[in-house]
Amino acid sequence: MFLSHRLPRIHLISHFTCPKPKRLLLITSTIVSKPIPASISHFSATIDTPSKPQVTAPLPLETLFVPPDTDVSSLEISSLGARILKGSNIVLSKYAAGDGTEVVNSEFVKSSVTTEDCPSDGIPEFALVGRSNVGKSSLLNSLVRRKRLALTSKKPGKTQCINHFRINDSWYLVDLPGYGYAAAPHEIRTDWDKFTKDYFLNRPTLVSVFLLIDASIPAKKIDLDYASWLGQNQIPMTLIFTKCDKRKKKRNGGRRPEENVQEFQELIRNFFQTAPPWIMTSSVTNQGREEILLHMSQLRNYWLKH
C-alpha cells in the first residue's frame, strides 16, 4: 500500500502549524484509512457544447498543490484559477521567480555510479526518473531547449548512471536510469535500482524527484509501485505526465491522455489524503515546459531560503 507522499525537506500544505523539523519538508500528507471518494476531478476539464463556448471547470481546492506560505482560503474561485499552472494542479506562490522559465545556459557535468561520486558543490537539484522509454532525455532536452544535451535513443535503458546537468550555473537537472527495462540483465537492473535508491535516500541537495508517467497508455502497476516506494521513504515527488500530445484512435481501444491521467489520479487517490503535484507535458509541442520550470523555481527558492 502507498503511504502518504510525506516528503522530508519542505512542508507544502496551506498553513504551517508545527515546528520546523531538522530536515525541510517538501510535501506532507497523512495516511488515509479508507479511499477518498472517486468523484473529484484531478485536472481542469474543458467542456464542449454545440451552443456554448468552451468552459474550463476549476479544480476543487482539496485537489490542489498549495506551496508553503501561500494562503488561498480567502481567494475568489476566479482569482485562484488564474494562479494554477496550466495543465496541472499546482498553485503559484511568491517563491515562483519571474525569470523562473529562463534557461540561459546548460552543461553536462559528470556521470556517477554512486551517490558519493556526485557533485559536491551543494547547489539544489531535481531528479528525473521513470520507466524506460518514458521520454526522460527528450523532456530534459525540451526543458533546456537543446536537442542533444541528453542523448536520446529508441533503445530503452540507455541511461545507466546518475547524470548531472548544471543549469544557469545555479542548480542541477539529474537524469537517472529508467526502471522496468526487461531486456537488461538482471544484475544490471539490480545495480541501477540500488544506486538510484541510495541517491534518493542520501542526497541532501535533492529538492524533488520528478516521476515521469507515460500518459499515452493506461496506468501501469510498476509506476504505482515506484510512487509507493517514494512515498514510503518520504522522498519529495512531483508527477510529470509525458506524451500528452499522443491521441490514440478510439476504434483501436486507445484513450486520450487526459483519460489516462484521470485514471492514474483516481488510483493514487485511494492512498493519498492530499494530491501530489502533477503536470501534463509533451516534448514534441513543449506543453508543460514553462510550468515545470516555474514549479522548480518556487520549490528551489523556498529550499534556498529555508
Side-chain angles (χ1 to χ4, degrees), residues 101 103 106 139-149 285-286 289-290 293:
T101 62
V103 175
S106 56
L139 178 64
L140 194 155
N141 291 335
S142 173
L143 290 174
V144 301
R145 295 196 186 279
R146 289 178 59 181
K147 292 183 178 180
R148 293 181 63 82
L149 180 67
T285 65
N286 283 325
R289 176 186 180 273
E290 291 190 358
L293 291 172

Side-chain angles (χ1 to χ4, degrees), residues 291-306:
E291 288 75 14
I292 289 177
L293 291 172
L294 275 172
H295 180 51
M296 287 179 172
S297 170
Q298 63 182 6
L299 296 183
R300 186 170 68 250
N301 289 333
Y302 184 84
W303 186 90
L304 288 169
K305 183 175 179 180
H306 295 79

Side-chain angles (χ1 to χ4, degrees), residues 141-202:
N141 291 335
S142 173
L143 290 174
V144 301
R145 295 196 186 279
R146 289 178 59 181
K147 292 183 178 180
R148 293 181 63 82
L149 180 67
L151 295 179
T152 60
S153 173
K154 292 183 179 180
K155 181 179 179 181
K158 187 174 182 62
T159 302
Q160 300 180 14
C161 298
I162 303 171
N163 297 311
H164 275 76
F165 300 87
R166 186 183 293 115
I167 311 298
N168 295 344
D169 295 321
S170 60
W171 56 282
Y172 287 115
L173 280 173
V174 184
D175 189 12
L176 297 172
Y179 55 84
Y181 179 41
H186 174 73
E187 62 272 14
I188 293 180
R189 296 202 309 270
T190 302
D191 192 50
W192 290 351
D193 287 344
K194 181 179 179 181
F195 75 68
T196 298
K197 290 180 177 179
D198 180 76
Y199 165 83
F200 289 149
L201 294 170
N202 298 301

Side-chain angles (χ1 to χ4, degrees), residues 1-3 32 34-38 40 42 213 217-225 227-228 239 241 255 259-273 276:
M1 175 177 285
F2 284 94
L3 291 183
V32 294
K34 59 183 179 179
I36 296 175
I40 301 173
H42 271 240
I213 307 296
I217 59 176
K220 286 188 170 291
K221 181 178 182 298
I222 191 171
D223 293 324
L224 297 170
D225 287 345
S228 174
L239 297 173
F241 291 99
R255 298 190 300 178
E259 294 175 295
N260 292 324
V261 170
Q262 177 77 29
E263 178 192 41
F264 199 93
Q265 296 297 328
E266 289 174 350
L267 289 171
I268 64 171
R269 188 187 306 146
N270 293 333
F271 304 100
F272 291 86
Q273 184 171 351

Side-chain angles (χ1 to χ4, degrees), residues 10 46 122-123 126 132 148 164 178 215 222 227 279 283 304-305:
I10 307 173
T46 300
I123 62 177
F126 299 88
S132 293
R148 293 181 63 82
H164 275 76
I222 191 171
I279 303 173
S283 297
L304 288 169
K305 183 175 179 180

